[in-house]
Amino acid sequence: MGKVVVTGGTGYIGSHTIVDLLEHDFEVVSIDNCSRSEPQIIDRIEEITGQKIINHQIDLCDLAATKKVFDSLDNVIGVIHFAAFKTVPESVEKPLLYFHNNLVSLINVLKCIEQNDIPNFVFSSSCSVYGNVEQLPVTEKTPFGKAECPYARTKQMGEEMIRDFAVANPHSTNILLRYFNPVGAHDSALIGELQRANPNNLVPVITQTAAGIIEQMKVFGKDYDTRDGTCIRDYIHVMDIANAHTKALQYSIDGKNKTNCEVFNLGTGKGVTVLEAINSFEKVSREKLNYIMTDRRPGDIEAIYANNDYAKQELGWSPDRDINIMMDTAWRWELGLKERPI
Ligand code: WQD
């Protein structure tokens, strides 16, 4: 079948995607400097799948080190590029760190793909490229909006760079996957979203509040023009996101792509409000969450959710895990961290 190089393989979505790739008989090699993750995740992947994989712990911003890894591999049929920083407030505080890390790593990976004639490339993009959208649900034809932060801008710039790369490399196939809000964890509770102190994202804040790590959580804004006044997001289970990568790679290997640079929205197509997410968590965990309603968080958009028809139709992908499963697996992952810290 050939090897698949996964960058960011010890990260949240990268690790779950490696599990799905291995379960679909792909051979996987990971490249991750573990600056935002833990090397032990590789052992957890082996515990889940029974398969040992190698992680090359090098910095993708170091071209020589990156080339050395790619040149050491034979029969690489694809690259899935997750490695990037993705914390919105940090990107506002340190834009140059984000532009350097997220764009130089992408350029170096594309250089190695070009030099080694690797035919298939899948890029981790984000719904944040749409900015504050008027028209919902969002389709792949919805144009880029104003990026709400430097992180989102690195995703917009990354996509544009890949479009130009695709024109210059007509024999390459490039697939851009725009995630909505990935949440939850693998059913084994052995891997999940590792957000250390002061998480920003809703679901880790919920589980850390229920676990007593956070005293009281805040719901940012109750005066939005939505059914209960709180923001709407398209939360999607990380294993459904993972499976979309396996399906996108196979779609590309099978030559089913219409052009050599294609975009897919990865969302459930359903919007869920913050309070609905909290209610789901309380129901599945039987824990009462300590939260207060506070002012809006700057930069938040009111509502966004996907039209995912194209990915379902073209990739044969169907996200079938609902918000209750997302909350249940996230909670069991949090409880598991207490038993077996990473
Ligand atoms: C969701 C909702 C908050 C925390 C994230 C990533 C972004 C992109 C998309 C990768 C919002 C509310 C949150 C809290 C709250 N992912 N909230 N209290 O902002 O949609 O963006 O997913 O590309 O990079 O940041 O997700 O989980 O931060 O917030 O009320 O303590 O939950 O206001 O309405 P967001 P989020």
Side-chain angles (χ1 to χ4, degrees):
M1 180 81 96
K3 289 186 191 68
V4 182
V5 173
V6 174
T7 73
T10 61
Y12 177 37
I13 301 171
S15 56
H16 289 78
T17 300
I18 289 177
V19 167
D20 198 73
L21 286 166
L22 292 173
E23 286 173 350
H24 288 83
D25 302 325
F26 284 97
E27 196 186 335
V28 175
V29 173
S30 170
I31 304 178
D32 195 321
N33 65 359
C34 300
S35 63
R36 299 286 170 104
S37 57
E38 300 296 336
Q40 296 94 303
I41 291 296
I42 294 293
D43 304 329
R44 295 287 179 99
I45 291 172
E46 185 179 348
E47 206 174 324
I48 294 169
T49 63
Q51 299 183 56
K52 200 167 183 48
I53 65 148
I54 305 288
N55 176 58
H56 296 272
Q57 196 162 335
I58 58 107
D59 183 354
L60 290 163
C61 291
D62 175 343
L63 178 59
T66 305
K67 259 179 66 53
K68 193 160 169 250
V69 172
F70 274 91
D71 293 350
S72 73
L73 300 171
D74 55 6
N75 192 18
V76 176
I77 49 152
V79 177
I80 305 181
H81 182 53
F82 292 102
F85 293 160
K86 64 143 196 132
T87 305
V88 171
E90 183 187 40
S91 78
V92 175
E93 209 187 303
K94 301 176 185 165
L96 297 182
L97 173 73
Y98 271 65
F99 290 127
H100 181 265
N101 184 70
N102 292 6
L103 297 179
V104 172
S105 57
L106 172 59
I107 291 166
N108 287 347
V109 167
L110 290 173
K111 280 182 176 175
C112 292
I113 288 172
E114 194 171 54
Q115 246 146 29
N116 293 281
D117 281 330
I118 297 170
N120 305 289
F121 179 55
V122 178
F123 177 65
S124 166
S125 189
S126 164
C127 66
S128 54
V129 301
Y130 295 114
N132 214 337
V133 286
E134 297 295 321
Q135 194 75 26
L136 288 172
V138 171
T139 74
E140 288 81 359
K141 296 206 173 4
T142 302
F144 281 179
K146 178 183 169 305
E148 294 293 324
C149 64
Y151 158 77
R153 212 178 319 283
T154 67
K155 289 301 180 183
Q156 290 181 340
M157 294 161 81
E159 288 200 13
E160 299 293 23
M161 284 157 55
I162 296 164
R163 279 193 185 85
D164 290 339
F165 172 84
V167 170
N169 293 274
H171 302 298
S172 70
T173 300
N174 304 274
I175 294 187
L176 315 177
L177 299 179
R178 293 177 181 162
Y179 314 153
F180 283 69
N181 286 54
V183 296
H186 187 264
D187 199 46
S188 65
L190 289 170
I191 54 176
E193 187 171 10
L194 259 185
Q195 283 211 0
R196 298 294 185 206
N198 313 318
N200 292 291
N201 296 134
L202 179 65
V203 174
V205 168
I206 286 176
T207 59
Q208 289 192 16
T209 302
I213 299 166
I214 294 172
E215 172 63 28
Q216 178 182 64
M217 70 170 280
K218 297 185 176 96
V219 172
F220 296 128
K222 60 180 186 303
D223 59 349
Y224 286 98
D225 184 16
T226 63
R227 47 188 178 268
D228 63 17
T230 62
C231 290
I232 291 176
R233 293 289 183 275
D234 186 333
Y235 299 101
I236 176 160
H237 197 283
V238 65
M239 281 314 291
D240 283 331
I241 292 269
N243 184 249
H245 287 74
T246 305
K247 286 198 159 51
L249 186 62
Q250 195 59 59
Y251 168 85
S252 176
I253 290 167
D254 296 344
K256 292 183 178 164
N257 45 298
K258 308 272 177 303
T259 68
N260 80 328
C261 189
E262 289 210 81
V263 181
F264 294 96
N265 279 341
L266 299 187
T268 63
K270 295 182 195 66
V272 169
T273 71
V274 176
L275 287 178
E276 288 165 352
I278 287 175
N279 294 340
S280 162
F281 177 82
E282 291 184 327
K283 186 174 73 177
V284 300
S285 66
R286 295 197 176 81
E287 298 283 338
K288 188 88 191 78
L289 266 185
N290 179 8
Y291 66 89
I292 50 165
M293 309 301 288
T294 63
D295 294 340
R296 296 182 176 194
R297 178 173 71 173
D300 271 339
I301 57 177
E302 178 166 89
I304 184 166
Y305 52 92
N307 173 317
N308 63 4
D309 293 344
Y310 192 54
K312 288 200 291 191
Q313 166 202 319
E314 292 299 312
L315 303 182
W317 174 68
S318 55
D320 50 16
R321 295 168 176 90
D322 68 10
I323 189 74
N324 295 326
I325 294 173
M326 295 176 211
M327 293 300 174
D328 174 57
T329 53
W331 180 227
R332 288 191 291 108
W333 157 248
E334 185 69 62
L335 294 174
L337 281 176
K338 258 188 184 161
E339 302 299 311
R340 285 179 66 189
I342 286 191

